């Protein structure tokens, strides 16, 4: 008994494969301009979110500097937290942080790089000053966790990471005050 020859299948890609490939290529081309591109020279929503996050980190850094100026004894426990906030500021500003150290001009105990801003009212007691920082960290972490839903890819990951770090900082500052 002989078997009939197998049906002949056309060589090369099928029509569905070609259509799917063309549709995929069109999607890739449409997305290749990137989320930061904008028409008319106005900044995109992503660029505005990144700039706002950098300003927020700068404001938090100013709070750390104000607390450190008022309470120099807190330099050791606050140093690593402040260095992370400085690294977040650099990352949001598009700069690379060198290690975990803050720039020399903004080291703990030195004048803030934005010394022209109005002085912050720092609580007189160390525990209250730590609570002051914890509240600022928690507020910023909550805002970033909410804002990251509105930004694309890499910026969302950076915001999530800094929100998680801020929540951890708030916890450490609160536990340190006990």
């Amino acid at each position: 008994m002989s078997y009939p020859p197998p049906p002949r299948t056309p060589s090369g890609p099928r029509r569905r494969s070609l259509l799917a490939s063309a549709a995929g290529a069109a999607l890739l081309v449409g997305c290749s301009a990137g989320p930061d591109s904008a028409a008319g020279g106005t900044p995109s929503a992503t660029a505005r979110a990144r700039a706002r996050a950098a300003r927020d980190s700068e404001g938090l850094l100013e709070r750390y500097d104000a607390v450190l100026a008022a309470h120099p004894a807190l330099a050791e426990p606050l140093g690593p937290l402040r260095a992370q906030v400085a690294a977040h500021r650099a990352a949001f500003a598009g700069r690379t942080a060198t290690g975990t150290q803050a720039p020399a001009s903004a080291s703990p105990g030195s004048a803030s790089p934005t010394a022209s801003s109005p002085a912050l009212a720092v609580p007189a007691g160390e525990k209250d000053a730590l609570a002051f920082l914890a509240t600022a960290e928690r507020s910023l972490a909550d805002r970033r966790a909410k804002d990251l839903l509105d930004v694309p890819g890499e910026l969302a990951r950076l915001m999530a990471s800094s929100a998680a770090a801020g929540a951890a900082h708030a916890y450490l500052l609160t536990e340190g005050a006990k």
Side-chain angles (χ1 to χ4, degrees), residues 36-145:
D36 286 337
S37 64
T42 60
S44 69
T46 301
R48 286 190 307 271
R50 182 180 285 277
R52 183 175 51 249
R55 282 191 310 272
D56 289 345
S57 291
E58 181 64 33
L60 185 57
L61 203 54
E62 288 174 1
R63 287 179 184 267
Y64 271 93
D65 289 340
V67 168
L68 288 169
H71 303 285
L74 294 174
E76 185 178 338
L78 293 182
L81 303 180
R82 186 200 179 281
Q84 283 187 341
V85 171
H88 293 154
R89 176 191 61 183
F92 284 121
R95 297 186 305 264
T96 355
T98 55
T100 58
Q101 294 296 323
S105 64
S107 63
S110 69
S112 170
T114 56
S116 62
S117 64
L120 293 169
V122 176
E126 286 184 0
K127 284 187 177 187
D128 291 334
L130 292 175
F132 169 75
L133 286 175
T135 299
E137 285 274 17
R138 190 174 300 109
S139 173
L140 184 54
D142 290 346
R143 188 167 55 249
R144 284 188 175 155

Side-chain angles (χ1 to χ4, degrees), residues 26-35:
L27 286 173
L28 287 175
V29 169
C31 295
S32 67

